[in-house]
Amino acid sequence: MPAAPLKNADPTTTSVLTIDLGALRANYRALRDLAPGAECAAVIKAYAYGIGTEQAVRALSKEDCKTYFVATFSEAQTVRNAAPDATVYVLDGFFSGSGPAFAEARIRPVLSCIAEVIDWAAYCKGKGEPLPAAIQLETGMNRLGLPISEAVTLVNATETLNAFTPALLMSHLACGDEPENSMNKAQLKAFEDMRALFPPCPASFANSAGIFLGESYHFDVTRAGFALYGGRAVNDQTPLAQIVQCHARITQIHEGQAGETVGYGAAHTLTRPTKIATLSLGYADGILRCLGASDGKSGLSGYIDGHRAPVLGRVSMDLITLDVTDIPDALAERGNWVEILGDHTSVDDLAIQAGTIGYEVLTSLGHRAQRIYIDAETGAA
Ligand SMILES: *Cc1c(COP(=O)(O)O)cnc(C)c1O
């Protein structure tokens, strides 16, 4: 410490996200190998879960990843620019009038209700080209997808079905993170039953957690998201390699006296003479406000060269304060780097402390930090 990549931090920078694209690639290979009979597609919605869409696509393309799922059309355009030949699906909605934009960028909608199917079919018919799209089936989420009644209607509407190319039949697990949950098998059965109604078509069912549920969940294409980014996709399981580290620089050191308070709301009273380090990092950077401390409640910890520094008081928008009393003076100095996410604290650790899931922590990490992309595998920084 400071971790090697921080030598590349700008002198003006107060916080750094270090993103290991080599680890991302290794995680991709691991997930692909867990479902050897299927193609492993990457889910890179929400700025690739916060790590950077273009960088993720370029790294995954090196592993020959050919199919990407995003949430929105603008995300799909970013993927298209970074990977001109990739297959790109937009998960969350297709509206009439957007056909030309999809067609022009060769982006495929995931059609999740009969109205979307009809709109896409009408557009393709008008264009005279049976363009590809995925069809999402409702198997238990009640969120997106054709329920069985609409699926039956569609299967009998041959003209609609023939106007475009159904390239993928898909559905999504509600409880994949709980391998024993009976919902998994129920959804699998519903998916198989509905799929059998359609003419033969490649199928996709498993998100990260589903990949770990075994072969019967894999079908033709898996959709790996959170696990790719080092998250714990299945409860109690050791996740794949962490790919994100977060460090912030000590902006100032204060000496506080017993009985004084720290931060907004004067919510945390010092119980001893305390050396306080202020870091330029706050909830606007994705360090959730509930990770603060107050009298009787502990919060997150930072680490300086392996020494733990617990947070004092509330997390503010741009600042947090840590107790560095027990850390050697030479380490707890203005300008030194403190690890917030890294060897000692994973995204999931922080999530547990915050009472949320790692997905939220990862996607909250702001865009204000300097991002340093490394590839620990190849040594490139
Ligand atoms: C987000 C998402 C995924 C990826 O899920 P992870 O749990 O992050 O692997 C897969 N499929 C759909 C439909 C999604 O919305």
Side-chain angles (χ1 to χ4, degrees):
M1 287 284 271
L6 295 180
K7 69 180 188 304
N8 293 327
D10 292 340
T12 55
T13 291
T14 50
S15 63
V16 168
L17 287 183
T18 307
I19 295 160
D20 185 349
L21 297 173
L24 177 72
R25 292 197 284 122
N27 289 349
Y28 178 80
R29 293 194 296 271
L31 291 165
R32 185 184 58 196
D33 293 349
L34 275 166
E39 177 193 348
C40 187
V43 180
I44 51 167
K45 59 196 180 192
Y47 199 52
Y49 289 52
I51 72 138
T53 312
E54 278 176 55
Q55 290 82 359
V57 170
R58 295 223 163 82
L60 293 167
S61 296
K62 285 188 195 158
E63 299 300 327
D64 223 12
C65 178
K66 292 185 164 64
T67 302
Y68 298 89
F69 287 86
V70 293
T72 66
F73 185 77
S74 69
E75 291 178 331
Q77 285 177 305
T78 307
V79 180
R80 172 54 70 235
N81 292 335
D85 300 325
T87 299
V88 186
Y89 286 102
V90 171
L91 288 165
D92 296 348
F94 174 77
F95 293 100
S96 56
S98 55
F102 275 81
E104 166 138 13
R106 292 173 290 116
I107 291 164
R108 302 179 180 189
V110 174
L111 308 170
S112 296
C113 64
I114 196 80
E116 287 184 345
V117 175
I118 289 169
D119 280 345
W120 182 246
Y123 171 71
C124 292
K125 205 169 170 203
K127 192 170 161 61
E129 262 185 80
L131 297 171
I135 299 173
Q136 177 148 228
L137 303 173
E138 157 57 31
T139 58
M141 272 287 235
N142 275 314
R143 204 176 62 165
L144 290 173
L146 279 72
I148 182 86
S149 56
E150 289 190 355
V152 170
T153 306
L154 175 58
V155 171
N156 292 321
T158 348
E159 204 184 323
T160 302
L161 207 50
N162 288 341
F164 69 102
T165 305
L168 197 64
L169 288 176
M170 57 176 276
S171 194
H172 191 48
L173 284 162
C175 306
D177 55 334
E178 302 169 23
E180 303 306 323
N181 195 310
S182 59
M183 183 96 182
N184 295 327
K185 283 209 174 80
Q187 281 194 271
L188 180 61
K189 170 141 193 345
F191 185 59
E192 281 173 331
D193 289 350
M194 286 173 83
R195 200 186 154 214
L197 300 172
F198 285 83
C201 176
S204 176
F205 191 58
N207 62 342
S208 299
I211 293 173
F212 293 95
L213 289 177
E215 205 186 329
S216 53
Y217 288 80
H218 294 164
F219 294 90
D220 303 295
V221 179
T222 59
R223 304 187 306 272
F226 192 44
L228 208 47
Y229 307 101
R232 185 183 292 119
V234 178
N235 295 345
D236 302 326
Q237 196 174 60
T238 309
L240 301 174
Q242 292 292 302
I243 71 165
V244 181
Q245 297 191 349
C246 174
H247 292 83
R249 228 196 272 266
I250 299 178
T251 310
Q252 260 186 37
I253 300 280
H254 278 270
E255 303 288 342
Q257 300 308 318
E260 294 178 356
T261 61
V262 184
Y264 280 123
H268 206 166
T269 311
L270 300 177
T271 56
R272 58 172 180 169
T274 306
K275 187 174 173 190
I276 304 164
T278 303
L279 314 188
S280 301
L281 186 75
Y283 60 75
D285 300 289
I287 305 303
L288 305 176
R289 189 169 171 278
C290 61
L291 289 165
S294 57
D295 294 330
K297 174 193 174 288
S298 59
L300 70 90
S301 292
Y303 287 82
I304 310 179
D305 200 15
H307 298 271
R308 191 169 86 91
V311 69
L312 290 167
R314 293 184 182 166
V315 172
S316 350
M317 186 187 290
D318 316 309
L319 297 167
I320 55 174
T321 33
L322 303 182
D323 183 347
V324 294
T325 315
D326 300 328
I327 294 181
D329 284 342
L331 297 173
E333 263 194 347
R334 173 171 167 262
N336 278 5
W337 291 97
V338 180
E339 173 200 307
I340 300 296
L341 276 175
D343 293 346
H344 298 86
T345 311
S346 71
V347 163
D348 289 299
D349 293 336
L350 218 51
I352 289 167
Q353 282 177 25
T356 182
I357 54 174
Y359 294 72
E360 189 182 10
V361 170
L362 200 51
T363 55
S364 297
L365 292 172
H367 303 276
R368 200 158 58 166
Q370 183 186 351
R371 286 160 182 265
I372 298 181
Y373 290 92
I374 61 165
D375 190 330
E377 252 184 18
T378 61

